[in-house]
Amino acid sequence: MYNQRILPFYMTYPLPLYYQEEDTATRDLEYLQQMYPMEAKKYQKIIAGILDKLDYEGSMIYDEYPDKWQMYRLSQSVLEVIRKKEEETNKDTVISKEKWDSIFDLVQIILCYEVYKRRHNRGNSGILKF
């Protein structure tokens, strides 16, 4: 009867295994992001740069439930940065409204992935809290 209450050592502290699984998910996401098309990679770098400025304690990207409107506004500001860069590099080319709409959709998706990655990387600072 006493033997039934004894747990093997590896089952007494299962939390490190949980963090290993989360690290694996983040590594998979980063690996798959390397397979983005060139245009998406370019936008991802711009988004990462903007999120670097928003990466502080109390930022809206770390809210328990980020506000949809704030994420939408952040996407719009990212799109404005992209639009200015595109106008600087391609002064002769005019991009249609439909193309900008598809770029905006892509920016929103990449922004959500980047926020997800930062939220989960921040929790894995290497310090286990019990």
Side-chain angles (χ1 to χ4, degrees):
M1 187 144 69
Y2 179 73
N3 290 338
Q4 291 177 356
R5 286 188 272 163
I6 297 174
L7 288 174
F9 176 75
Y10 65 89
M11 292 183 74
T12 56
Y13 298 106
L15 286 177
L17 297 176
Y18 172 75
Y19 287 115
Q20 280 180 342
E21 290 174 11
E22 227 175 76
D23 282 344
T24 303
T26 304
R27 276 196 315 263
D28 286 347
L29 179 61
E30 289 172 353
Y31 174 74
L32 292 171
Q33 283 178 334
Q34 292 174 2
M35 294 183 198
Y36 281 174
M38 290 303 291
E39 188 176 17
K41 281 183 184 179
K42 182 172 62 172
Y43 300 153
Q44 192 267 338
K45 288 179 184 178
I46 294 170
I47 291 169
I50 291 172
L51 286 179
D52 284 342
K53 296 174 186 171
L54 291 174
D55 199 355
Y56 57 86
E57 188 69 34
S59 174
M60 57 83 72
I61 64 174
Y62 295 115
D63 289 346
E64 185 175 358
Y65 297 103
D67 185 40
K68 187 174 182 177
W69 176 250
Q70 288 180 331
M71 293 293 285
Y72 181 79
R73 291 290 299 146
L74 183 58
S75 299
Q76 285 180 329
S77 63
V78 168
L79 186 67
E80 286 303 314
V81 170
I82 291 171
R83 183 173 283 157
K84 287 177 184 175
K85 287 188 181 201
E86 289 291 328
E87 288 174 355
E88 289 174 2
T89 57
N90 302 327
K91 293 181 180 181
D92 302 336
T93 308
V94 176
I95 300 176
S96 68
K97 182 176 179 353
E98 291 80 23
K99 177 72 174 171
W100 282 117
D101 289 343
S102 65
I103 291 172
F104 183 64
D105 291 341
L106 181 62
V107 163
Q108 285 181 310
I109 292 168
I110 295 172
L111 179 67
C112 290
Y113 276 122
E114 283 296 311
V115 168
Y116 170 82
K117 190 168 69 171
R118 287 171 189 266
R119 288 168 62 106
H120 287 278
N121 283 345
R122 189 170 196 190
N124 294 342
S125 60
I127 301 172
L128 295 177
K129 297 179 181 176
F130 294 103

